[in-house]
Amino acid sequence: MKSLIVANWKMNPASVREAKKLCGETKRLAGLLKGVSVVVCPPAVFLSGLAAGARKGRVSFGVQNVHFENRGSYTGEISPVQAKDAKASYAIVGHAERRAIGESNDDVRKKVDAVFAAGMTPILCIGEKERGQGAEHFTFVREQLRGGISEEAGKKLSRLIIAYEPVWAIGATKAMEPRQMHEMSIFIRKTLVERFGSVGHNITILYGGSIDASNAGEMLRDGDVTGLLVGRASVDIQAFTELLRAVSEA
Ligand code: PGA
């Protein structure tokens, strides 16, 4: 099975020229390396320009956020049907950096439904802000799963991607330990099975937070995940090349 690597460029790079260079190199590598599938999520202003020139099959594209309505008076927002029309096949929903500026579980749930309705694949981000000695982080994650997935979305669960990103490991110096991820994957599957039945066993789970070439292979081997959501290391050509090579060898 191929590892799914989602490149979340966030608000980078600064120009179309740099975006094209980065995307071109990512495509070249993705075409070369075995065992990896790459989804590039650029800033939305770059999306159609990058996707237009893309040969089918090398990389797929996604957006970093969408609104839950398809049209209307929502200044500054992007709708799922617009994203789809600009060649996005995936949409990241509920990223910690969006939740930090006020996105709620209710917003997230509506967005997941809207992304499915537009015919794209939602990448639902969850993860606790901090971790203490107890099991509060499991309660927090269960609540995000409950609030973020509607009954309707539950019917399409096999097509939903969960990206578990503990907020304390995003933009940090160290990723979470693979054995902690393994434990979290079991918890996520169990929580989904309890609500939606056995389809929950096979949900696609990604890990995100301070992933680079030094820890990607180990996370894929021991973390019980199908792929990775990568921030910083995805916008640095050197770092991303090394990361994709490490994933391909894992
Ligand atoms: P990072 O970001 O890889 O820079 O830690 C990950 C993310 O926020 O998706």
Side-chain angles (χ1 to χ4, degrees), residues 187-219:
F187 178 77
I188 292 170
R189 291 183 209 285
K190 180 171 151 283
T191 305
L192 294 175
V193 167
E194 278 166 11
R195 180 161 165 219
F196 298 112
S198 60
V199 57
H201 282 302
N202 303 320
I203 187 96
T204 301
I205 302 176
L206 313 180
Y207 167 81
S210 299
I211 281 292
D212 60 23
S214 74
N215 53 29
E218 158 177 71
M219 187 58 87

PDB file of all heavy atoms in Angstrom, residues 187-219:
ATOM      1  N   PHE A 187      -7.241   4.017  19.405  1.00  0.00           N
ATOM      2  CA  PHE A 187      -8.357   4.741  20.047  1.00  0.00           C
ATOM      3  C   PHE A 187      -9.308   5.334  18.994  1.00  0.00           C
ATOM      4  O   PHE A 187     -10.533   5.246  19.119  1.00  0.00           O
ATOM      5  CB  PHE A 187      -7.815   5.845  20.957  1.00  0.00           C
ATOM      6  CG  PHE A 187      -8.908   6.649  21.593  1.00  0.00           C
ATOM      7  CD1 PHE A 187      -9.614   6.141  22.674  1.00  0.00           C
ATOM      8  CD2 PHE A 187      -9.266   7.885  21.076  1.00  0.00           C
ATOM      9  CE1 PHE A 187     -10.657   6.864  23.244  1.00  0.00           C
ATOM     10  CE2 PHE A 187     -10.310   8.616  21.643  1.00  0.00           C
ATOM     11  CZ  PHE A 187     -11.000   8.105  22.726  1.00  0.00           C
ATOM     12  N   ILE A 188      -8.743   5.936  17.954  1.00  0.00           N
ATOM     13  CA  ILE A 188      -9.575   6.545  16.900  1.00  0.00           C
ATOM     14  C   ILE A 188     -10.428   5.467  16.219  1.00  0.00           C
ATOM     15  O   ILE A 188     -11.645   5.627  16.042  1.00  0.00           O
ATOM     16  CB  ILE A 188      -8.688   7.284  15.867  1.00  0.00           C
ATOM     17  CG1 ILE A 188      -8.035   8.507  16.516  1.00  0.00           C
ATOM     18  CG2 ILE A 188      -9.507   7.702  14.635  1.00  0.00           C
ATOM     19  CD1 ILE A 188      -6.944   9.168  15.669  1.00  0.00           C
ATOM     20  N   ARG A 189      -9.802   4.365  15.875  1.00  0.00           N
ATOM     21  CA  ARG A 189     -10.555   3.271  15.220  1.00  0.00           C
ATOM     22  C   ARG A 189     -11.668   2.753  16.128  1.00  0.00           C
ATOM     23  O   ARG A 189     -12.809   2.559  15.699  1.00  0.00           O
ATOM     24  CB  ARG A 189      -9.617   2.123  14.845  1.00  0.00           C
ATOM     25  CG  ARG A 189      -8.651   2.478  13.723  1.00  0.00           C
ATOM     26  CD  ARG A 189      -7.779   1.286  13.330  1.00  0.00           C
ATOM     27  NE  ARG A 189      -6.485   1.714  12.831  1.00  0.00           N
ATOM     28  CZ  ARG A 189      -6.271   2.240  11.630  1.00  0.00           C
ATOM     29  NH1 ARG A 189      -7.277   2.390  10.785  1.00  0.00           N
ATOM     30  NH2 ARG A 189      -5.068   2.632  11.267  1.00  0.00           N
ATOM     31  N   LYS A 190     -11.325   2.545  17.402  1.00  0.00           N
ATOM     32  CA  LYS A 190     -12.306   2.011  18.356  1.00  0.00           C
ATOM     33  C   LYS A 190     -13.494   2.975  18.484  1.00  0.00           C
ATOM     34  O   LYS A 190     -14.653   2.570  18.459  1.00  0.00           O
ATOM     35  CB  LYS A 190     -11.603   1.822  19.705  1.00  0.00           C
ATOM     36  CG  LYS A 190     -12.460   1.289  20.811  1.00  0.00           C
ATOM     37  CD  LYS A 190     -11.583   0.951  22.023  1.00  0.00           C
ATOM     38  CE  LYS A 190     -12.315   1.085  23.315  1.00  0.00           C
ATOM     39  NZ  LYS A 190     -12.523   2.410  23.842  1.00  0.00           N
ATOM     40  N   THR A 191     -13.185   4.275  18.592  1.00  0.00           N
ATOM     41  CA  THR A 191     -14.236   5.289  18.731  1.00  0.00           C
ATOM     42  C   THR A 191     -15.167   5.280  17.516  1.00  0.00           C
ATOM     43  O   THR A 191     -16.386   5.382  17.637  1.00  0.00           O
ATOM     44  CB  THR A 191     -13.589   6.681  18.898  1.00  0.00           C
ATOM     45  OG1 THR A 191     -12.693   6.624  20.004  1.00  0.00           O
ATOM     46  CG2 THR A 191     -14.619   7.760  19.128  1.00  0.00           C
ATOM     47  N   LEU A 192     -14.580   5.135  16.331  1.00  0.00           N
ATOM     48  CA  LEU A 192     -15.393   5.140  15.111  1.00  0.00           C
ATOM     49  C   LEU A 192     -16.184   3.845  14.957  1.00  0.00           C
ATOM     50  O   LEU A 192     -17.331   3.871  14.496  1.00  0.00           O
ATOM     51  CB  LEU A 192     -14.506   5.393  13.884  1.00  0.00           C
ATOM     52  CG  LEU A 192     -13.876   6.794  13.841  1.00  0.00           C
ATOM     53  CD1 LEU A 192     -12.915   6.925  12.667  1.00  0.00           C
ATOM     54  CD2 LEU A 192     -14.950   7.879  13.754  1.00  0.00           C
ATOM     55  N   VAL A 193     -15.587   2.739  15.368  1.00  0.00           N
ATOM     56  CA  VAL A 193     -16.301   1.454  15.300  1.00  0.00           C
ATOM     57  C   VAL A 193     -17.523   1.484  16.219  1.00  0.00           C
ATOM     58  O   VAL A 193     -18.613   1.052  15.851  1.00  0.00           O
ATOM     59  CB  VAL A 193     -15.360   0.274  15.651  1.00  0.00           C
ATOM     60  CG1 VAL A 193     -16.158  -1.003  15.893  1.00  0.00           C
ATOM     61  CG2 VAL A 193     -14.332   0.054  14.542  1.00  0.00           C
ATOM     62  N   GLU A 194     -17.357   2.054  17.415  1.00  0.00           N
ATOM     63  CA  GLU A 194     -18.475   2.131  18.362  1.00  0.00           C
ATOM     64  C   GLU A 194     -19.662   2.874  17.751  1.00  0.00           C
ATOM     65  O   GLU A 194     -20.803   2.513  17.977  1.00  0.00           O
ATOM     66  CB  GLU A 194     -18.040   2.865  19.641  1.00  0.00           C
ATOM     67  CG  GLU A 194     -17.299   1.964  20.620  1.00  0.00           C
ATOM     68  CD  GLU A 194     -16.579   2.750  21.709  1.00  0.00           C
ATOM     69  OE1 GLU A 194     -16.803   3.982  21.845  1.00  0.00           O
ATOM     70  OE2 GLU A 194     -15.780   2.112  22.415  1.00  0.00           O
ATOM     71  N   ARG A 195     -19.372   3.885  16.952  1.00  0.00           N
ATOM     72  CA  ARG A 195     -20.479   4.692  16.413  1.00  0.00           C
ATOM     73  C   ARG A 195     -20.954   4.227  15.041  1.00  0.00           C
ATOM     74  O   ARG A 195     -22.143   4.272  14.744  1.00  0.00           O
ATOM     75  CB  ARG A 195     -20.024   6.157  16.362  1.00  0.00           C
ATOM     76  CG  ARG A 195     -21.082   7.083  15.818  1.00  0.00           C
ATOM     77  CD  ARG A 195     -20.825   8.521  16.183  1.00  0.00           C
ATOM     78  NE  ARG A 195     -21.652   9.399  15.369  1.00  0.00           N
ATOM     79  CZ  ARG A 195     -21.240  10.551  14.877  1.00  0.00           C
ATOM     80  NH1 ARG A 195     -20.015  10.991  15.141  1.00  0.00           N
ATOM     81  NH2 ARG A 195     -22.037  11.290  14.145  1.00  0.00           N
ATOM     82  N   PHE A 196     -20.020   3.802  14.202  1.00  0.00           N
ATOM     83  CA  PHE A 196     -20.402   3.528  12.809  1.00  0.00           C
ATOM     84  C   PHE A 196     -20.234   2.063  12.383  1.00  0.00           C
ATOM     85  O   PHE A 196     -20.471   1.728  11.233  1.00  0.00           O
ATOM     86  CB  PHE A 196     -19.580   4.408  11.859  1.00  0.00           C
ATOM     87  CG  PHE A 196     -19.798   5.882  12.057  1.00  0.00           C
ATOM     88  CD1 PHE A 196     -18.784   6.686  12.558  1.00  0.00           C
ATOM     89  CD2 PHE A 196     -21.020   6.465  11.743  1.00  0.00           C
ATOM     90  CE1 PHE A 196     -18.981   8.050  12.745  1.00  0.00           C
ATOM     91  CE2 PHE A 196     -21.230   7.831  11.925  1.00  0.00           C
ATOM     92  CZ  PHE A 196     -20.202   8.628  12.434  1.00  0.00           C
ATOM     93  N   GLY A 197     -19.774   1.237  13.295  1.00  0.00           N
ATOM     94  CA  GLY A 197     -19.592  -0.172  12.929  1.00  0.00           C
ATOM     95  C   GLY A 197     -18.224  -0.447  12.334  1.00  0.00           C
ATOM     96  O   GLY A 197     -17.339   0.406  12.356  1.00  0.00           O
ATOM     97  N   SER A 198     -18.106  -1.641  11.769  1.00  0.00           N
ATOM     98  CA  SER A 198     -16.777  -2.169  11.439  1.00  0.00           C
ATOM     99  C   SER A 198     -16.009  -1.362  10.393  1.00  0.00           C
ATOM    100  O   SER A 198     -14.786  -1.490  10.287  1.00  0.00           O
ATOM    101  CB  SER A 198     -16.889  -3.624  10.990  1.00  0.00           C
ATOM    102  OG  SER A 198     -17.704  -3.675   9.850  1.00  0.00           O
ATOM    103  N   VAL A 199     -16.702  -0.527   9.628  1.00  0.00           N
ATOM    104  CA  VAL A 199     -16.009   0.306   8.638  1.00  0.00           C
ATOM    105  C   VAL A 199     -14.936   1.179   9.321  1.00  0.00           C
ATOM    106  O   VAL A 199     -13.919   1.542   8.723  1.00  0.00           O
ATOM    107  CB  VAL A 199     -17.022   1.154   7.812  1.00  0.00           C
ATOM    108  CG1 VAL A 199     -17.897   2.023   8.706  1.00  0.00           C
ATOM    109  CG2 VAL A 199     -16.327   2.017   6.775  1.00  0.00           C
ATOM    110  N   GLY A 200     -15.167   1.462  10.604  1.00  0.00           N
ATOM    111  CA  GLY A 200     -14.229   2.279  11.373  1.00  0.00           C
ATOM    112  C   GLY A 200     -12.844   1.668  11.506  1.00  0.00           C
ATOM    113  O   GLY A 200     -11.852   2.376  11.682  1.00  0.00           O
ATOM    114  N   HIS A 201     -12.775   0.331  11.399  1.00  0.00           N
ATOM    115  CA  HIS A 201     -11.471  -0.343  11.505  1.00  0.00           C
ATOM    116  C   HIS A 201     -10.497   0.111  10.427  1.00  0.00           C
ATOM    117  O   HIS A 201      -9.294   0.171  10.639  1.00  0.00           O
ATOM    118  CB  HIS A 201     -11.640  -1.864  11.348  1.00  0.00           C
ATOM    119  CG  HIS A 201     -12.153  -2.531  12.575  1.00  0.00           C
ATOM    120  ND1 HIS A 201     -11.506  -2.451  13.781  1.00  0.00           N
ATOM    121  CD2 HIS A 201     -13.256  -3.305  12.792  1.00  0.00           C
ATOM    122  CE1 HIS A 201     -12.197  -3.143  14.682  1.00  0.00           C
ATOM    123  NE2 HIS A 201     -13.259  -3.653  14.106  1.00  0.00           N
ATOM    124  N   ASN A 202     -11.062   0.366   9.237  1.00  0.00           N
ATOM    125  CA  ASN A 202     -10.184   0.598   8.075  1.00  0.00           C
ATOM    126  C   ASN A 202     -10.011   2.064   7.710  1.00  0.00           C
ATOM    127  O   ASN A 202      -9.557   2.382   6.624  1.00  0.00           O
ATOM    128  CB  ASN A 202     -10.748  -0.151   6.864  1.00  0.00           C
ATOM    129  CG  ASN A 202     -10.878  -1.614   7.166  1.00  0.00           C
ATOM    130  OD1 ASN A 202      -9.998  -2.195   7.805  1.00  0.00           O
ATOM    131  ND2 ASN A 202     -11.994  -2.209   6.764  1.00  0.00           N
ATOM    132  N   ILE A 203     -10.361   2.946   8.625  1.00  0.00           N
ATOM    133  CA  ILE A 203     -10.239   4.376   8.332  1.00  0.00           C
ATOM    134  C   ILE A 203      -8.774   4.733   8.040  1.00  0.00           C
ATOM    135  O   ILE A 203      -7.856   4.167   8.627  1.00  0.00           O
ATOM    136  CB  ILE A 203     -10.790   5.196   9.533  1.00  0.00           C
ATOM    137  CG1 ILE A 203     -10.850   6.688   9.220  1.00  0.00           C
ATOM    138  CG2 ILE A 203      -9.965   4.990  10.791  1.00  0.00           C
ATOM    139  CD1 ILE A 203     -12.167   7.141   8.747  1.00  0.00           C
ATOM    140  N   THR A 204      -8.602   5.655   7.098  1.00  0.00           N
ATOM    141  CA  THR A 204      -7.250   6.127   6.781  1.00  0.00           C
ATOM    142  C   THR A 204      -6.844   7.165   7.820  1.00  0.00           C
ATOM    143  O   THR A 204      -7.526   8.176   7.993  1.00  0.00           O
ATOM    144  CB  THR A 204      -7.224   6.774   5.382  1.00  0.00           C
ATOM    145  OG1 THR A 204      -7.651   5.792   4.446  1.00  0.00           O
ATOM    146  CG2 THR A 204      -5.839   7.263   5.012  1.00  0.00           C
ATOM    147  N   ILE A 205      -5.729   6.924   8.497  1.00  0.00           N
ATOM    148  CA  ILE A 205      -5.245   7.860   9.512  1.00  0.00           C
ATOM    149  C   ILE A 205      -3.864   8.383   9.118  1.00  0.00           C
ATOM    150  O   ILE A 205      -2.983   7.606   8.728  1.00  0.00           O
ATOM    151  CB  ILE A 205      -5.168   7.193  10.912  1.00  0.00           C
ATOM    152  CG1 ILE A 205      -6.549   6.652  11.327  1.00  0.00           C
ATOM    153  CG2 ILE A 205      -4.649   8.174  11.962  1.00  0.00           C
ATOM    154  CD1 ILE A 205      -6.554   5.889  12.645  1.00  0.00           C
ATOM    155  N   LEU A 206      -3.706   9.694   9.198  1.00  0.00           N
ATOM    156  CA  LEU A 206      -2.402  10.319   8.970  1.00  0.00           C
ATOM    157  C   LEU A 206      -1.901  10.874  10.299  1.00  0.00           C
ATOM    158  O   LEU A 206      -2.696  11.232  11.166  1.00  0.00           O
ATOM    159  CB  LEU A 206      -2.502  11.497   7.982  1.00  0.00           C
ATOM    160  CG  LEU A 206      -3.284  11.328   6.683  1.00  0.00           C
ATOM    161  CD1 LEU A 206      -3.223  12.637   5.882  1.00  0.00           C
ATOM    162  CD2 LEU A 206      -2.713  10.184   5.856  1.00  0.00           C
ATOM    163  N   TYR A 207      -0.589  10.982  10.417  1.00  0.00           N
ATOM    164  CA  TYR A 207      -0.026  11.710  11.557  1.00  0.00           C
ATOM    165  C   TYR A 207       0.555  13.023  11.035  1.00  0.00           C
ATOM    166  O   TYR A 207       1.156  13.060   9.950  1.00  0.00           O
ATOM    167  CB  TYR A 207       1.093  10.909  12.252  1.00  0.00           C
ATOM    168  CG  TYR A 207       1.864  11.813  13.205  1.00  0.00           C
ATOM    169  CD1 TYR A 207       1.361  12.092  14.465  1.00  0.00           C
ATOM    170  CD2 TYR A 207       3.035  12.456  12.786  1.00  0.00           C
ATOM    171  CE1 TYR A 207       2.014  12.988  15.310  1.00  0.00           C
ATOM    172  CE2 TYR A 207       3.691  13.349  13.624  1.00  0.00           C
ATOM    173  CZ  TYR A 207       3.174  13.610  14.886  1.00  0.00           C
ATOM    174  OH  TYR A 207       3.815  14.504  15.700  1.00  0.00           O
ATOM    175  N   GLY A 208       0.427  14.092  11.796  1.00  0.00           N
ATOM    176  CA  GLY A 208       1.059  15.360  11.446  1.00  0.00           C
ATOM    177  C   GLY A 208       1.634  16.048  12.657  1.00  0.00           C
ATOM    178  O   GLY A 208       1.085  15.950  13.772  1.00  0.00           O
ATOM    179  N   GLY A 209       2.756  16.748  12.457  1.00  0.00           N
ATOM    180  CA  GLY A 209       3.404  17.490  13.540  1.00  0.00           C
ATOM    181  C   GLY A 209       4.886  17.209  13.566  1.00  0.00           C
ATOM    182  O   GLY A 209       5.317  16.147  14.015  1.00  0.00           O
ATOM    183  N   SER A 210       5.667  18.155  13.017  1.00  0.00           N
ATOM    184  CA  SER A 210       7.139  18.064  13.049  1.00  0.00           C
ATOM    185  C   SER A 210       7.699  16.806  12.386  1.00  0.00           C
ATOM    186  O   SER A 210       8.641  16.190  12.885  1.00  0.00           O
ATOM    187  CB  SER A 210       7.650  18.191  14.483  1.00  0.00           C
ATOM    188  OG  SER A 210       7.278  19.455  15.008  1.00  0.00           O
ATOM    189  N   ILE A 211       7.095  16.456  11.262  1.00  0.00           N
ATOM    190  CA  ILE A 211       7.614  15.314  10.495  1.00  0.00           C
ATOM    191  C   ILE A 211       8.693  15.800   9.527  1.00  0.00           C
ATOM    192  O   ILE A 211       8.558  16.838   8.886  1.00  0.00           O
ATOM    193  CB  ILE A 211       6.456  14.627   9.733  1.00  0.00           C
ATOM    194  CG1 ILE A 211       5.657  13.723  10.671  1.00  0.00           C
ATOM    195  CG2 ILE A 211       6.968  13.823   8.537  1.00  0.00           C
ATOM    196  CD1 ILE A 211       6.386  12.484  11.196  1.00  0.00           C
ATOM    197  N   ASP A 212       9.777  15.041   9.477  1.00  0.00           N
ATOM    198  CA  ASP A 212      10.827  15.282   8.472  1.00  0.00           C
ATOM    199  C   ASP A 212      11.466  13.942   8.125  1.00  0.00           C
ATOM    200  O   ASP A 212      10.985  12.885   8.561  1.00  0.00           O
ATOM    201  CB  ASP A 212      11.845  16.316   8.977  1.00  0.00           C
ATOM    202  CG  ASP A 212      12.542  15.883  10.259  1.00  0.00           C
ATOM    203  OD1 ASP A 212      12.595  14.670  10.526  1.00  0.00           O
ATOM    204  OD2 ASP A 212      13.031  16.766  10.992  1.00  0.00           O
ATOM    205  N   ALA A 213      12.555  13.992   7.362  1.00  0.00           N
ATOM    206  CA  ALA A 213      13.165  12.741   6.893  1.00  0.00           C
ATOM    207  C   ALA A 213      13.668  11.886   8.050  1.00  0.00           C
ATOM    208  O   ALA A 213      13.757  10.665   7.935  1.00  0.00           O
ATOM    209  CB  ALA A 213      14.312  13.070   5.941  1.00  0.00           C
ATOM    210  N   SER A 214      13.961  12.511   9.187  1.00  0.00           N
ATOM    211  CA  SER A 214      14.547  11.747  10.296  1.00  0.00           C
ATOM    212  C   SER A 214      13.518  10.874  11.030  1.00  0.00           C
ATOM    213  O   SER A 214      13.881   9.898  11.666  1.00  0.00           O
ATOM    214  CB  SER A 214      15.217  12.704  11.293  1.00  0.00           C
ATOM    215  OG  SER A 214      14.223  13.389  12.033  1.00  0.00           O
ATOM    216  N   ASN A 215      12.237  11.236  10.957  1.00  0.00           N
ATOM    217  CA  ASN A 215      11.255  10.478  11.737  1.00  0.00           C
ATOM    218  C   ASN A 215      10.104   9.893  10.905  1.00  0.00           C
ATOM    219  O   ASN A 215       9.283   9.144  11.414  1.00  0.00           O
ATOM    220  CB  ASN A 215      10.696  11.355  12.877  1.00  0.00           C
ATOM    221  CG  ASN A 215      10.167  12.690  12.372  1.00  0.00           C
ATOM    222  OD1 ASN A 215       9.722  12.796  11.238  1.00  0.00           O
ATOM    223  ND2 ASN A 215      10.214  13.717  13.213  1.00  0.00           N
ATOM    224  N   ALA A 216      10.057  10.234   9.599  1.00  0.00           N
ATOM    225  CA  ALA A 216       8.917   9.809   8.767  1.00  0.00           C
ATOM    226  C   ALA A 216       8.824   8.286   8.641  1.00  0.00           C
ATOM    227  O   ALA A 216       7.743   7.706   8.816  1.00  0.00           O
ATOM    228  CB  ALA A 216       9.023  10.445   7.384  1.00  0.00           C
ATOM    229  N   GLY A 217       9.945   7.644   8.370  1.00  0.00           N
ATOM    230  CA  GLY A 217       9.951   6.202   8.141  1.00  0.00           C
ATOM    231  C   GLY A 217       9.482   5.440   9.369  1.00  0.00           C
ATOM    232  O   GLY A 217       8.620   4.562   9.302  1.00  0.00           O
ATOM    233  N   GLU A 218      10.024   5.849  10.498  1.00  0.00           N
ATOM    234  CA  GLU A 218       9.697   5.194  11.765  1.00  0.00           C
ATOM    235  C   GLU A 218       8.202   5.382  12.102  1.00  0.00           C
ATOM    236  O   GLU A 218       7.535   4.452  12.552  1.00  0.00           O
ATOM    237  CB  GLU A 218      10.628   5.821  12.807  1.00  0.00           C
ATOM    238  CG  GLU A 218      10.235   5.757  14.209  1.00  0.00           C
ATOM    239  CD  GLU A 218      11.299   6.361  15.134  1.00  0.00           C
ATOM    240  OE1 GLU A 218      11.464   7.605  15.118  1.00  0.00           O
ATOM    241  OE2 GLU A 218      11.927   5.597  15.857  1.00  0.00           O
ATOM    242  N   MET A 219       7.684   6.581  11.834  1.00  0.00           N
ATOM    243  CA  MET A 219       6.264   6.829  12.122  1.00  0.00           C
ATOM    244  C   MET A 219       5.385   5.937  11.251  1.00  0.00           C
ATOM    245  O   MET A 219       4.373   5.392  11.702  1.00  0.00           O
ATOM    246  CB  MET A 219       5.940   8.312  11.898  1.00  0.00           C
ATOM    247  CG  MET A 219       4.557   8.724  12.322  1.00  0.00           C
ATOM    248  SD  MET A 219       4.209   8.401  14.076  1.00  0.00           S
ATOM    249  CE  MET A 219       4.835   9.889  14.850  1.00  0.00           C
TER     250      MET A 219
END
